[in-house]
Structures are given as C-alpha cells and as structure tokens.
Amino acid sequence: MDMAGSIRIERTAAAWLARRDAGGWVARDQAELDAWLAASTAHRVAWLRLQAAWRESGRLKALGAGLPAGRVPERKQWGPSPRATPASRTLAGGERSALDAGALVFAPRSRGVQSHLPRRLSAVAAVAVVAIALALGWRVHSPPVHQVAYGTPVGALETASLADGSEATLSSDSRIVVALSRSERRIDLQRGEAFFHAARDAGRPFVVAAAGHRVIAVGTRFAVRRDADGVRVVVTEGLVRLESDPGSGDRRQPTTLLPAGSVALAGPDGVVVRAGTIDEARQALSWRDGFLAFRDTSLADAAAEFNRYNARRIVIADPSVGALRVGGNFRWSNSEGFVRLLEQGFPVRAEYGDAEIVLHAR
C-alpha cells in the first residue's frame, strides 16, 4: 500500500474514533464500524493503533492530575496530589516515593458538559492521537519490519529459513540482511553469494539488492553473487527481473527479464545475458554440493574461485600460468589436490606455504 492510502486509512480510523467517543453511539454505528474493520487488515491495524494511543493519552492526563493548570510534570517526576498525606509523599528515609495511585485526585467530571461536546472537538482530539503516537515513538504509517542478518566465514556454507517460508543458502564468506514487511521482502546482499528459494507471495515481491542492482521475483529459485565489478544472477526456476536500484543514479540500466537457465552479468557497462539450459545454470551453482565446475576457464579465474572458499590462497606468480585453460569438477575444499593435478598435467611448479600456494611457470 502507498503512503497516500495509509494516510487515508488512518484518517478514516480517527474519524470513527471521534464519532464513537462523541456520544450517541448506537448499535447501527457499531455495525458500520465492524463492517469497515472487517473489510481490510489495514483497517483493523490502524484502528488498534489509534485506540492504543487514545488510551495512552488518557493515562497521561491521569498522571498529571492534581498539578496546577499549565504545568507539565518533568520526566519521571510525576507528583502526588496536593491532598495526599505526608506519609504518601515520602519514604522513611525522606526520599520521594514512587507514584501512589491511591493518592491521586481527579477533577470531577461535568456530565452535562461532556455529553454535549461538539463532534468537531472530538474529531480534533482523535486526529491529535496520531501526533501523540508519533511523539511516543510509534510508527503510525510505516509497516512493521522483521529484520535479521546471516553470514558465513570462509570455507562454510549455511542455509537459513526466512520468516516468510523462503530459504537462503549462503556461500563461503557471504552476508545478507533480510528485511520483511507487509509490502516487500528485501534482502541486501552485502558480500559473497547466496542461492534463494523464494516462497510464492504475489502481494510481496522478493527483492535482492546488490551493488546498485535489484533482482525481483515472486516465487522462484535463483542465485545472486556480488563481485568487485558487478553482479552475477543465475536462474534455475521461474522468472526474475533484473533492474538498476532506484538509488544508483547515472548507472541506471534497462530492465532485463531472466527466465530459467539464464546467467546474467551486470556491471557498470551494462548487462550481458547468456541463455542456456537449466542443467548448465545448476552447474554454475555446484558450490552448493561442494564442487567448482570449470569449462575452458583460465587458471587465473579458477584460482580466484578456489580462493573464495579457502583461507590458504592460490597465488599466480607468472602471467603465462594464469592464462592456461583448465576444465573439470573439483572439490573447493581441496585446493592443494587441485594444484598437484596442475603440476602433473601443465608446465606449472608450485611453491607450498602455510598461508598460500604460489604457482610459477616451469
């Protein structure tokens, strides 16, 4: 719901509250209010919030009872009534006591005047409840947001079950922040890569934001990876929409629809989409099963992939070594085994250290 719609509902709820508290409330009025509340969850939420704020304003009046007109009690210094006994004013040690509700004195209510208050005054008071709610720190128009963060260290994977029924599988050294509201499910991919199984909810789009781009779905399976130079999106089921984040300024790019089997690379220079099979897309995500799949990949890129999953890094010492092409499926947890295979089949010499493995031309 947009802000204008929320404001309209809040005003209608305030009008109902003013009408009820102005006097002359009959069964027909209650039936009309019940019908309005039953028409929408948003109506009921707005009504409950204003009721709570209205009750809170009544409590504030009670806490100020007995004070001279125009005087506002200081924070945590609500005073007892001037008619309270000395014993109720002080403790044994002479300190001021906590508020004694029994010592409060309320001004008598004039029933004749109260029953004939103009409806306009009650309406003003009801609308003022919105201001009271804001002063108390309540979010009248903003929907509640459930926010939680998930992260993984280097060499670990984690599958997180989200509150809406979706799942997110985080790759090594990755972090996401999930914010779920009534209108949107937003995931900020702050680092690394994650595979998402978005639960179907047509009323709340599933939005993954990363590096100035947004990937939007309703119910599907896809992965988003954040690199230094852009974003990679792999779709294994359904359809997703790739677009620039509204706050990305000059980098805004046309919206791209990605069906299952698509692999898209989005960077400052635009979006490149490779249409393939679903099996090919799944191979690009074989890290979920503990493997890295290379197909005519440069050794420099292969080393960079292994380094995403291992604290002991593979370092390319000679450009000629980095330009070699490799292929096959390798366990990402066994970088040393990968290097030993390179030594057997390529003109590569490895220098093994505790923190890194350096590859030289042989």
Side-chain angles (χ1 to χ4, degrees):
M1 179 184 301
D2 58 16
M3 182 62 73
S6 298
I7 294 175
R8 183 170 58 254
I9 291 174
E10 294 287 349
R11 288 177 176 172
T12 303
W16 275 113
L17 186 62
R19 179 176 170 184
R20 188 194 67 178
D21 286 11
W25 188 259
V26 297
R28 184 178 64 184
D29 296 326
Q30 185 63 46
E32 293 178 359
L33 172 59
D34 291 341
W36 184 77
L37 294 175
S40 170
T41 300
H43 294 180
R44 294 193 296 272
V45 170
W47 173 255
L48 291 174
R49 285 177 177 170
L50 288 179
Q51 272 195 315
W54 187 259
R55 287 193 298 269
E56 190 71 20
S57 67
R59 289 178 57 208
L60 293 175
K61 290 179 182 178
L63 290 172
L67 293 175
R71 176 182 170 188
V72 178
E74 298 179 7
R75 184 182 297 273
K76 299 184 179 179
Q77 296 292 327
W78 304 103
S81 166
R83 303 182 191 179
T85 64
S88 68
R89 293 174 182 267
T90 61
L91 297 172
E95 299 177 357
R96 293 186 64 86
S97 67
L99 179 66
D100 182 0
L104 292 175
V105 177
F106 298 88
R109 174 180 293 180
S110 174
R111 295 185 179 274
V113 174
Q114 178 71 18
S115 61
H116 293 89
L117 280 176
R119 288 177 179 262
R120 179 176 297 179
L121 292 179
S122 291
V124 171
V127 172
V129 170
V130 177
I132 294 173
L134 291 174
L136 293 173
W138 299 349
R139 295 183 180 273
V140 177
H141 300 306
S142 301
V145 175
H146 174 76
Q147 183 166 307
V148 63
Y150 302 93
T152 54
V154 173
L157 308 182
E158 178 185 342
T159 297
S161 297
L162 309 186
D164 69 324
S166 301
E167 285 188 348
T169 301
L170 277 68
S171 185
S172 168
D173 191 24
S174 299
R175 175 180 168 83
I176 62 173
V177 176
V178 181
L180 304 181
S181 69
R182 292 195 300 269
S183 60
E184 182 182 77
R185 297 168 289 172
R186 181 181 175 90
I187 293 86
D188 285 325
L189 178 61
Q190 299 183 341
R191 185 176 69 250
E193 183 172 12
F195 176 80
F196 301 98
H197 179 194
R200 183 166 295 279
D201 187 342
R204 290 196 301 169
F206 193 95
V207 180
V208 180
H213 295 83
R214 301 199 311 167
V215 183
I216 305 172
V218 174
T220 186
R221 300 173 191 261
F222 63 99
V224 182
R225 169 171 160 172
R226 181 169 186 162
D227 292 317
D229 56 351
V231 173
R232 185 185 77 168
V233 182
V234 180
V235 184
T236 61
E237 179 183 295
L239 180 72
V240 302
R241 186 168 78 246
L242 174 62
E243 64 182 30
S244 296
D245 193 283
S248 59
D250 295 337
R251 295 182 300 166
R252 291 187 62 82
Q253 297 164 351
T255 297
T256 305
L257 294 180
L258 303 175
S262 300
V263 177
L265 300 176
D269 297 329
V271 178
V272 177
V273 180
R274 185 177 75 245
T277 66
I278 294 177
D279 286 340
E280 289 173 337
R282 288 172 177 166
Q283 284 183 356
L285 304 176
S286 58
W287 56 262
R288 296 177 296 158
D289 300 317
F291 290 91
L292 295 177
F294 302 132
R295 299 291 181 268
D296 193 29
T297 304
S298 72
L299 184 52
D301 289 341
E305 286 299 303
F306 270 101
N307 292 342
R308 291 171 62 90
Y309 299 89
N310 296 274
R312 190 187 189 190
R313 301 176 61 80
I314 300 176
V315 178
I316 306 295
D318 298 320
S320 61
V321 172
L324 296 173
R325 315 298 292 187
V326 297
N329 296 330
F330 306 90
R331 286 199 173 275
W332 53 253
S333 59
N334 189 11
S335 58
E336 183 172 334
F338 170 71
V339 171
R340 295 198 182 279
L341 288 175
L342 291 176
E343 289 184 291
Q344 295 175 18
F346 293 87
V348 173
R349 177 178 60 85
E351 184 180 329
Y352 295 89
D354 293 335
E356 60 186 22
I357 305 174
V358 183
L359 303 183
H360 302 273
R362 185 173 57 192

